[in-house]
Amino acid sequence: MRRRLLDIIHRFYLDAISRLPPAEFRRTTGLARGLHVGGHCFGPLHPVHNIVVNSIWYAAAFPVAGSDDEDEANALLSTDGICHRSLDGLVAALRDLCPSISSGDALWRLFSAGADLTAAVALANGVSKSSALRVVASQGHAAFHLAALVARHPDPTAFAHFASSALPSINGQHNIVQLLIMKHVLASRHINYLSKVLVPSSPHEPSVSLLMLSAPVLDCIASQKQQFKGIGKQVVNVVNMALQQYTQRSGEQLKLHSVCGASLLKEEGLENCYHINFLAYHEGSGSAVGATVLFFTEAIILSCDETDIRLCAPVDPVTDIGAFAVGTKVDITGPL
């Protein structure tokens, strides 16, 4: 049941990522960090809308110092961790809102409700969704705080206030949901607008003082970041090669949006085998981003400048998640 729920949540993240402008994922301080760290799927809206809004809010409310340069390697995302944390948060929130149900019951209600928290509350309480909405509105602060805590959100207190109070009020004033419905694929100007609307005043200060790291720890962090960046560039190069071969065969005009899963398999007799899922979009007129397509590719890295693309094929997120999922032997993605 948990595995099936994770598949549903994974599809939510693929949908949410496909709606965000690819340029924003290239920025070192952009949406990729917001999604990876604070873009959970729980909140008062539909799960996909929660992911989009929570990611934008976190990136705007908790910015990091540093350059905002674009780098193609930053298109490498890992959704596995945030999917697991979101599910843990959903279960915690549902059990807080419906204290009589067990963990197993919570998983079943969430599965039956398509991982939608409000719909799961309606099923658990045997009431209409409008009644469940009132329950979430009145008891949501404690539930969202617990969900964020269990899901390891960096600031559960700030998130609980945002999800239970600030977001419903802002949505009422600016009709954010209507914007997300009308603009299925957001442009950078929409991200800038939502950032200002969701964080109208000065950004939140960190709830705890920053740690003073020693020189050896800083050196270790710098080394890990450089290693991740190197791996990211290698994976993106593989994806660009696979996508180029696919476009030559199909005649479609596609560009890389983001890499949403990559693993290096270490099976007997098969070294340096990558399994990668990535999103590509059809080039629209001007700067417009067209419809996105999910791809699976398998590639063997024979040397630093030679790659054998074994397979590159579009997959259906609804029917093929699991059948064309990336391997999990050695996860090469990491925090952004």
Side-chain angles (χ1 to χ4, degrees), residues 9 39 69-70 76 88 92 112 139 149 151 167 195 287 308 311-312:
I9 294 171
D69 297 334
E70 291 191 16
L76 180 61
D88 291 340
S112 301
Q139 304 176 34
L149 194 65
L167 179 55
S195 297
S287 60
D308 179 14
L311 173 68
C312 182

Side-chain angles (χ1 to χ4, degrees), residues 203-281:
H204 295 280
E205 294 296 327
S207 58
V208 296
S209 59
L210 297 176
L211 294 174
M212 299 300 293
L213 300 178
S214 64
V217 172
L218 289 172
D219 289 342
C220 181
I221 292 174
S223 174
Q224 290 291 323
K225 287 175 68 176
Q226 189 60 39
Q227 181 183 10
F228 173 74
K229 188 173 183 178
I231 294 173
K233 286 184 179 296
Q234 187 178 38
V235 170
V236 171
N237 287 339
V238 169
V239 167
N240 281 327
M241 291 177 62
L243 188 58
Q244 183 180 18
Q245 291 185 14
Y246 177 81
T247 56
Q248 289 174 348
R249 294 196 313 268
S250 66
E252 298 181 65
Q253 297 301 311
L254 292 161
K255 292 186 68 175
L256 174 63
H257 182 288
S258 54
V259 180
C260 45
S263 292
L264 175 62
L265 277 68
K266 292 287 189 179
E267 295 184 351
E268 184 179 352
L270 191 61
E271 294 294 328
N272 297 327
C273 178
Y274 285 85
H275 279 186
I276 306 170
N277 286 135
F278 65 93
L279 288 166
Y281 63 93

Side-chain angles (χ1 to χ4, degrees), residues 19-315:
R19 299 183 185 206
L20 299 172
E24 298 298 327
F25 287 117
R26 309 294 194 268
R27 304 184 195 281
T28 55
T29 58
L31 277 181
R33 171 180 164 271
L35 185 143
H36 188 273
V37 177
H40 297 94
C41 73
F42 46 76
L45 310 179
H46 181 275
V48 174
H49 294 163
N50 284 329
I51 294 169
V52 173
V53 170
N54 291 343
S55 300
I56 296 171
W57 168 76
Y58 184 82
F62 300 93
V64 294
S67 66
D68 201 28
D69 297 334
E70 291 191 16
D71 188 338
E72 194 174 34
N74 292 327
L76 180 61
L77 299 171
S78 174
T79 58
D80 189 59
I82 192 70
C83 286
H84 283 269
R85 288 184 279 124
S86 282
L87 178 53
D88 291 340
L90 279 171
V91 171
L94 181 57
R95 294 195 67 195
D96 185 81
L97 293 166
C98 307
S100 63
I101 65 174
S102 65
S103 295
D105 289 335
L107 288 172
W108 172 248
R109 301 298 182 186
L110 284 167
F111 175 73
S112 301
D116 184 313
L117 179 61
T118 303
V121 170
L123 287 175
N125 291 339
V127 298
S128 65
K129 192 164 184 180
S130 59
S131 297
L133 283 169
R134 289 192 290 271
V135 172
V136 173
S138 62
Q139 304 176 34
H141 187 276
F144 290 138
H145 185 273
L146 180 60
L149 194 65
V150 170
R152 301 194 295 281
H153 191 283
D155 196 327
T157 300
F159 176 79
H161 171 73
F162 171 72
S164 64
S165 178
L167 179 55
S169 176
I170 294 168
N171 184 44
Q173 295 174 10
H174 300 277
N175 210 346
I176 292 174
V177 170
Q178 187 64 26
L179 172 64
L180 296 176
I181 292 173
M182 292 179 61
K183 302 293 184 181
H184 185 81
V185 179
L186 299 174
S188 292
R189 68 179 184 277
H190 300 129
I191 302 299
N192 293 333
Y193 168 75
L194 289 172
S195 297
K196 293 176 182 178
V197 167
L198 295 171
V199 189
S201 58
S202 59
H204 295 280
E205 294 296 327
S207 58
V208 296
S209 59
L210 297 176
L211 294 174
M212 299 300 293
L213 300 178
S214 64
V217 172
L218 289 172
D219 289 342
C220 181
I221 292 174
S223 174
Q224 290 291 323
K225 287 175 68 176
Q226 189 60 39
Q227 181 183 10
F228 173 74
K229 188 173 183 178
I231 294 173
K233 286 184 179 296
Q234 187 178 38
V235 170
V236 171
N237 287 339
V238 169
V239 167
N240 281 327
M241 291 177 62
L243 188 58
Q244 183 180 18
Q245 291 185 14
Y246 177 81
T247 56
Q248 289 174 348
R249 294 196 313 268
S250 66
E252 298 181 65
Q253 297 301 311
L254 292 161
K255 292 186 68 175
L256 174 63
H257 182 288
S258 54
V259 180
C260 45
S263 292
L264 175 62
L265 277 68
K266 292 287 189 179
E267 295 184 351
E268 184 179 352
L270 191 61
E271 294 294 328
N272 297 327
C273 178
Y274 285 85
H275 279 186
I276 306 170
N277 286 135
F278 65 93
L279 288 166
Y281 63 93
H282 289 88
E283 293 186 85
S285 59
S287 60
V289 175
T292 56
V293 183
L294 177 66
F295 282 86
F296 171 82
T297 187
E298 179 179 283
I300 309 296
I301 308 300
L302 302 175
S303 65
C304 60
D305 59 354
E306 187 178 2
T307 301
D308 179 14
I309 307 297
R310 298 293 182 88
L311 173 68
C312 182
V315 296

